[in-house]
Amino acid sequence: MIELIKQFDIDILLWLNGNHNKFWDDIMWFATSKFTWLPFYFLLILLLIWKYKKNSTLMILLIVLLITISDQLASGLFKPLFERLRPSHNPYLAGQLHFVNDYKGGKFGFISSHAANVFSLAFYLTLVAQNKLKWLPFILIPWAIFVSVSRVYLGVHYPMDIIVPAILSLPIAWTVARIYKAYNPILIEKIT
């Protein structure tokens, strides 16, 4: 079963990375850049402040905790623990991958920090903003998928490198959402 999953990982990676062209190279390079999304994050924060007023303060502050947890889980725990070479550093795949701007990422890739962070954020905001922004998941989940798939397209992650953190981000998001709901002073005032 493990060998089947590994082969699936390689086959999907080679198919997605192998179907490259200038248009998709530019799009996926854009999607993977951390600075690309700064205006998006800024608008998201403004939206939360506009819709949630005082309730948004703790909601936004907990995003820092959320990203710290998801990023440390990926980069601080999983990558050093598993030491799985990125496809871009795998000698078996040398010469089979197309690299955009000669980008190959760090040595280890399991699990993707990009995927862990974007899925954690998407699921967290889905949980805490569901009463006033019901449409938000229809933006955030496809965005998280898009950013994560860009990592496979660029040849720096296998599909499982993005699937696993997508799954792991659910309990992280749920836990941080529970903290928000338990400690938001405005929600507590309404209960008492």
Side-chain angles (χ1 to χ4, degrees):
M1 183 65 161
I2 304 269
E3 288 306 313
L4 188 63
I5 292 171
K6 285 181 182 178
Q7 192 56 52
F8 169 80
D9 245 5
I10 292 170
D11 291 346
I12 297 297
L13 163 73
L14 291 176
W15 176 81
L16 187 58
N17 179 266
N19 283 297
H20 60 84
N21 59 47
K22 177 72 172 121
F23 172 79
W24 284 112
D25 284 359
D26 291 343
I27 295 290
M28 295 305 185
W29 184 254
F30 172 85
T32 204
S33 173
K34 291 177 184 177
F35 298 111
T36 294
W37 300 107
L38 288 178
F40 177 75
Y41 298 141
F42 180 72
L43 289 173
L44 197 54
I45 288 169
L46 287 179
L47 177 67
L48 294 173
I49 292 168
W50 176 54
K51 282 293 189 179
Y52 286 90
K53 314 271 187 278
K54 290 179 185 176
N55 280 339
S56 69
T57 304
L58 182 60
M59 186 185 294
I60 293 166
L61 287 175
L62 285 173
I63 291 173
V64 175
L65 174 65
L66 175 86
I67 299 302
T68 301
I69 292 169
S70 65
D71 197 62
Q72 286 305 304
L73 182 69
S75 296
L77 180 64
F78 274 74
K79 285 177 184 168
L81 180 65
F82 289 96
E83 293 187 341
R84 182 183 186 195
L85 291 175
R86 289 179 188 265
S88 53
H89 294 282
N90 185 337
Y92 170 74
L93 297 173
Q96 297 184 63
L97 293 172
H98 165 74
F99 298 108
V100 177
N101 298 325
D102 203 33
Y103 174 69
K104 296 183 180 173
K107 188 174 182 180
F108 303 121
F110 184 79
I111 58 178
S112 167
S113 300
H114 278 76
N117 294 338
V118 295
F119 275 108
S120 290
L121 180 62
F123 291 141
Y124 167 72
L125 289 178
T126 295
L127 291 168
V128 297
Q130 62 188 335
N131 61 337
K132 291 187 180 181
L133 299 169
K134 293 181 186 339
W135 53 267
L136 197 55
F138 299 104
I139 302 292
L140 294 179
I141 304 300
W143 163 72
I145 292 168
F146 175 53
V147 170
S148 298
V149 168
S150 77
R151 307 298 290 163
V152 178
Y153 177 92
L154 294 172
V156 295
H157 284 292
Y158 295 99
M160 282 309 201
D161 294 351
I162 64 171
I163 292 169
V164 170
I167 294 166
L168 290 176
S169 67
L170 286 165
I172 295 168
W174 183 84
T175 301
V176 176
R178 296 295 302 154
I179 293 169
Y180 169 73
K181 290 176 181 178
Y183 293 102
N184 189 336
I186 293 169
L187 290 177
I188 292 170
E189 284 175 17
K190 288 182 180 178
I191 294 170
T192 56

